[in-house]
Amino acid sequence: MGLLDDKVVLVHGGSQGVGAGIVRAAVREGATVAFTGRRAEVGEKLAADTGTLFVRADLSDPAQARDSVQQVVATLGRVDCLVNAAGLTSRGTLLDTTPELFDAHIAINLRAPFFAMQATVQHLVDRKAPGTIVNIITSSEHGGQPFLAPYVAAKAGLAGLTRNAAHAHRWDRIRINGLNIGWTDTEGEDATQRAFHGAGDDWREKAAAAQPMGKLGQVDEIADFVVFLLSDRSGVVTGSVIDWDQIVFGGLD
């Protein structure tokens, strides 16, 4: 028996990185899985490899964020679980962030999850069915580095939205939780380190050596935790924004 047997799971931003790891883990645990992405060739390959449904969508458009939920319902019959894993991590400080960069972060990191949740929760309420949602947030929502100003602003909003929606829909038996992931080893992070921080081929080794556990966060470990939160094995927990990191926030040396 898998943790997600007989569940239909939709992963927004599931074509690469943490999202793709969640797609694979959900399939392994028995779910019927759909996911969104912008790049057709990448999404179609993952769908073929995993036996999942790929829905091409640009989540910066709130209509596409909503409509992707309806497309999955039309094709697979329902949605039981939603994961908001899409994220924009381009850099900007308080002083150099343009309105365009700020709006891009809000569009992907806050507005898209809002309207995906809106469509999913409405679907569950109409069905009078329980469901679960997990939002991939970031440990940086506690404050973060100066060069993450628009990212932190949007993700802190998503943390607040997670709690608000969980409270609003607890009597509908819709559980909504968030995961504040830390520094994670993904292809997207590799591109970010090279583009914004001049990192060389050995950046992963250097970064891992500087971490308490001797490694960066791993996609498969995060995916396993997300699957647990989506599943009935996580019990009644809702409205929790969990720090999944090796930094102890509030701890001082």
Side-chain angles (χ1 to χ4, degrees):
M1 293 290 290
L3 286 173
L4 296 176
D5 281 351
D6 300 321
K7 302 292 187 184
V8 177
V9 176
L10 169 58
V11 181
H12 267 185
S15 59
Q16 65 177 9
V18 170
I22 295 166
V23 167
R24 293 187 178 95
V27 169
R28 183 196 69 218
E29 293 298 330
T32 300
V33 180
F35 67 94
T36 68
R38 287 182 296 178
R39 294 183 295 165
E41 66 280 7
V42 175
E44 288 166 1
K45 183 179 186 306
L46 179 61
D49 290 344
T50 56
T52 56
L53 172 67
F54 170 60
V55 177
R56 189 174 185 181
D58 180 354
L59 298 178
S60 66
D61 178 359
Q64 293 188 48
R66 287 193 304 260
D67 291 348
S68 63
V69 177
Q70 300 307 322
Q71 289 183 54
V72 174
V73 171
T75 303
L76 300 179
R78 67 184 196 277
V79 170
D80 302 303
C81 309
L82 170 70
V83 180
N84 284 305
L88 179 67
T89 60
S90 51
R91 295 345 195 187
T93 70
L94 179 65
L95 298 183
D96 65 22
T97 294
T98 64
E100 292 77 16
L101 178 61
F102 183 85
D103 288 347
H105 275 273
I106 294 298
I108 294 295
N109 294 328
L110 181 57
R111 190 175 66 193
F114 186 102
F115 287 104
M117 290 169 64
Q118 181 187 78
T120 302
V121 169
Q122 185 64 66
H123 166 68
L124 291 167
V125 169
D126 289 346
R127 285 172 51 209
K128 295 181 172 58
T132 51
I133 296 173
V134 175
N135 292 321
I136 304 301
I137 311 177
T138 173
S139 58
S140 294
E141 62 99 353
H142 292 294
Q145 296 95 328
F147 55 76
L148 292 179
Y151 177 69
V152 169
K155 288 290 194 175
L158 182 55
L161 173 62
T162 299
R163 298 183 181 98
N164 178 272
H167 176 73
H169 293 283
R170 67 199 191 281
W171 289 105
D172 295 313
R173 296 180 297 149
I174 300 170
R175 298 190 298 111
I176 304 172
N177 295 289
L179 204 60
N180 279 341
I181 63 173
W183 199 0
T184 304
D185 185 358
T186 65
E187 57 265 42
E189 182 60 21
D190 180 62
T192 295
Q193 289 298 316
R194 294 174 187 274
F196 293 100
H197 302 288
D201 292 341
D202 61 346
W203 77 264
R204 285 185 173 89
E205 291 75 15
K206 290 180 177 178
Q211 305 307 306
M213 306 303 164
K215 64 178 182 179
L216 297 178
Q218 300 298 301
V219 167
D220 60 336
E221 296 169 351
I222 294 168
D224 286 347
F225 200 84
V226 170
V227 164
F228 173 75
L229 287 175
L230 291 174
S231 77
D232 294 340
R233 289 295 296 161
S234 56
V236 299
V237 63
T238 193
S240 292
V241 177
I242 300 164
D243 291 329
W244 197 98
D245 201 351
Q246 52 197 305
I247 296 171
V248 180
F249 296 94
L252 299 172
D253 292 323

